mmCIF file of all heavy atoms in Angstrom:
data_model
loop_
_atom_site.group_PDB
_atom_site.id
_atom_site.type_symbol
_atom_site.label_atom_id
_atom_site.label_comp_id
_atom_site.label_asym_id
_atom_site.label_seq_id
_atom_site.Cartn_x
_atom_site.Cartn_y
_atom_site.Cartn_z
ATOM 1 N N ALA A 10 208.766 6.983 28.775
ATOM 2 C CA ALA A 10 208.638 6.063 27.603
ATOM 3 C C ALA A 10 209.378 4.774 27.811
ATOM 4 O O ALA A 10 208.939 3.703 27.565
ATOM 5 C CB ALA A 10 209.022 6.734 26.312
ATOM 6 N N LYS A 11 210.679 4.893 28.305
ATOM 7 C CA LYS A 11 211.475 3.752 28.512
ATOM 8 C C LYS A 11 210.859 2.830 29.564
ATOM 9 O O LYS A 11 210.778 1.645 29.466
ATOM 10 C CB LYS A 11 212.892 4.210 28.956
ATOM 11 C CG LYS A 11 213.857 3.026 29.015
ATOM 12 C CD LYS A 11 215.320 3.556 29.230
ATOM 13 C CE LYS A 11 216.205 2.409 29.338
ATOM 14 N NZ LYS A 11 217.585 2.849 29.609
ATOM 15 N N LYS A 12 210.299 3.431 30.645
ATOM 16 C CA LYS A 12 209.691 2.609 31.703
ATOM 17 C C LYS A 12 208.395 1.886 31.166
ATOM 18 O O LYS A 12 208.135 0.772 31.567
ATOM 19 C CB LYS A 12 209.375 3.505 32.956
ATOM 20 C CG LYS A 12 210.524 3.833 33.770
ATOM 21 C CD LYS A 12 210.166 4.590 35.016
ATOM 22 C CE LYS A 12 211.466 4.949 35.789
ATOM 23 N NZ LYS A 12 211.140 5.663 37.057
ATOM 24 N N ALA A 13 207.663 2.623 30.330
ATOM 25 C CA ALA A 13 206.443 1.974 29.767
ATOM 26 C C ALA A 13 206.842 0.763 28.921
ATOM 27 O O ALA A 13 206.183 -0.247 29.044
ATOM 28 C CB ALA A 13 205.749 3.027 28.927
ATOM 29 N N ILE A 14 207.884 0.865 28.140
ATOM 30 C CA ILE A 14 208.381 -0.277 27.353
ATOM 31 C C ILE A 14 208.866 -1.372 28.242
ATOM 32 O O ILE A 14 208.583 -2.579 27.976
ATOM 33 C CB ILE A 14 209.380 0.156 26.277
ATOM 34 C CG1 ILE A 14 208.743 1.027 25.227
ATOM 35 C CG2 ILE A 14 210.128 -1.027 25.647
ATOM 36 C CD1 ILE A 14 209.679 1.624 24.244
ATOM 37 N N GLU A 15 209.589 -1.098 29.275
ATOM 38 C CA GLU A 15 210.186 -2.049 30.164
ATOM 39 C C GLU A 15 209.059 -2.837 30.902
ATOM 40 O O GLU A 15 209.296 -4.029 31.284
ATOM 41 C CB GLU A 15 211.120 -1.407 31.174
ATOM 42 C CG GLU A 15 212.416 -1.004 30.475
ATOM 43 C CD GLU A 15 213.344 -0.212 31.471
ATOM 44 O OE1 GLU A 15 212.930 0.186 32.528
ATOM 45 O OE2 GLU A 15 214.487 -0.003 31.012
ATOM 46 N N ARG A 16 207.892 -2.216 31.114
ATOM 47 C CA ARG A 16 206.799 -3.001 31.706
ATOM 48 C C ARG A 16 206.273 -4.085 30.826
ATOM 49 O O ARG A 16 205.674 -5.004 31.254
ATOM 50 C CB ARG A 16 205.653 -2.071 32.105
ATOM 51 C CG ARG A 16 205.930 -1.235 33.290
ATOM 52 C CD ARG A 16 204.621 -0.529 33.841
ATOM 53 N NE ARG A 16 204.207 0.559 32.952
ATOM 54 C CZ ARG A 16 204.558 1.780 33.088
ATOM 55 N NH1 ARG A 16 205.404 2.134 34.025
ATOM 56 N NH2 ARG A 16 204.148 2.721 32.240
ATOM 57 N N LEU A 17 206.540 -3.966 29.540
ATOM 58 C CA LEU A 17 206.146 -5.086 28.603
ATOM 59 C C LEU A 17 207.096 -6.267 28.636
ATOM 60 O O LEU A 17 206.720 -7.319 28.073
ATOM 61 C CB LEU A 17 206.109 -4.497 27.155
ATOM 62 C CG LEU A 17 205.106 -3.394 26.925
ATOM 63 C CD1 LEU A 17 205.301 -2.799 25.506
ATOM 64 C CD2 LEU A 17 203.634 -3.809 27.172
ATOM 65 N N TYR A 18 208.282 -6.144 29.185
ATOM 66 C CA TYR A 18 209.226 -7.254 29.216
ATOM 67 C C TYR A 18 208.671 -8.338 30.091
ATOM 68 O O TYR A 18 208.395 -8.206 31.275
ATOM 69 C CB TYR A 18 210.572 -6.817 29.774
ATOM 70 C CG TYR A 18 211.286 -5.822 28.909
ATOM 71 C CD1 TYR A 18 212.321 -5.019 29.470
ATOM 72 C CD2 TYR A 18 210.947 -5.631 27.547
ATOM 73 C CE1 TYR A 18 213.006 -4.075 28.694
ATOM 74 C CE2 TYR A 18 211.633 -4.654 26.811
ATOM 75 C CZ TYR A 18 212.659 -3.896 27.379
ATOM 76 O OH TYR A 18 213.357 -2.952 26.604
ATOM 77 N N ASP A 19 208.456 -9.522 29.515
ATOM 78 C CA ASP A 19 207.838 -10.618 30.168
ATOM 79 C C ASP A 19 208.735 -11.936 30.238
ATOM 80 O O ASP A 19 208.301 -12.966 30.660
ATOM 81 C CB ASP A 19 206.502 -11.045 29.589
ATOM 82 C CG ASP A 19 206.643 -11.409 28.053
ATOM 83 O OD1 ASP A 19 207.749 -11.247 27.494
ATOM 84 O OD2 ASP A 19 205.655 -11.886 27.526
ATOM 85 N N ARG A 20 209.976 -11.786 29.849
ATOM 86 C CA ARG A 20 210.974 -12.819 29.812
ATOM 87 C C ARG A 20 212.312 -12.360 30.310
ATOM 88 O O ARG A 20 212.508 -11.184 30.467
ATOM 89 C CB ARG A 20 211.089 -13.443 28.404
ATOM 90 C CG ARG A 20 209.798 -13.900 27.838
ATOM 91 C CD ARG A 20 209.807 -14.073 26.343
ATOM 92 N NE ARG A 20 208.435 -14.107 25.864
ATOM 93 C CZ ARG A 20 207.808 -15.238 25.505
ATOM 94 N NH1 ARG A 20 208.385 -16.390 25.644
ATOM 95 N NH2 ARG A 20 206.597 -15.181 25.061
ATOM 96 N N GLU A 21 213.209 -13.364 30.506
ATOM 97 C CA GLU A 21 214.649 -13.031 30.747
ATOM 98 C C GLU A 21 215.489 -13.798 29.759
ATOM 99 O O GLU A 21 215.165 -14.834 29.328
ATOM 100 C CB GLU A 21 214.934 -13.427 32.217
ATOM 101 C CG GLU A 21 214.334 -12.592 33.235
ATOM 102 C CD GLU A 21 214.723 -12.931 34.637
ATOM 103 O OE1 GLU A 21 215.273 -14.006 34.869
ATOM 104 O OE2 GLU A 21 214.563 -12.056 35.495
ATOM 105 N N CYS A 22 216.670 -13.197 29.479
ATOM 106 C CA CYS A 22 217.572 -13.833 28.574
ATOM 107 C C CYS A 22 219.007 -13.823 29.120
ATOM 108 O O CYS A 22 219.375 -12.985 29.984
ATOM 109 C CB CYS A 22 217.520 -13.187 27.207
ATOM 110 S SG CYS A 22 218.091 -11.479 27.110
ATOM 111 N N THR A 23 219.761 -14.769 28.580
ATOM 112 C CA THR A 23 221.196 -14.820 28.872
ATOM 113 C C THR A 23 221.879 -14.720 27.507
ATOM 114 O O THR A 23 221.540 -15.443 26.561
ATOM 115 C CB THR A 23 221.587 -16.144 29.589
ATOM 116 O OG1 THR A 23 220.819 -16.192 30.853
ATOM 117 C CG2 THR A 23 223.055 -16.206 29.832
ATOM 118 N N ILE A 24 222.872 -13.825 27.426
ATOM 119 C CA ILE A 24 223.606 -13.619 26.223
ATOM 120 C C ILE A 24 224.950 -14.394 26.386
ATOM 121 O O ILE A 24 225.673 -14.248 27.275
ATOM 122 C CB ILE A 24 223.918 -12.141 25.949
ATOM 123 C CG1 ILE A 24 222.709 -11.279 26.192
ATOM 124 C CG2 ILE A 24 224.603 -11.912 24.611
ATOM 125 C CD1 ILE A 24 221.528 -11.514 25.319
#
Side-chain angles (χ1 to χ4, degrees):
K11 189 173 179 181
K12 285 184 180 183
I14 290 174
E15 288 174 349
R16 281 194 291 270
L17 298 173
Y18 296 161
D19 59 349
R20 301 163 199 260
E21 289 186 340
C22 66
T23 301
I24 313 300

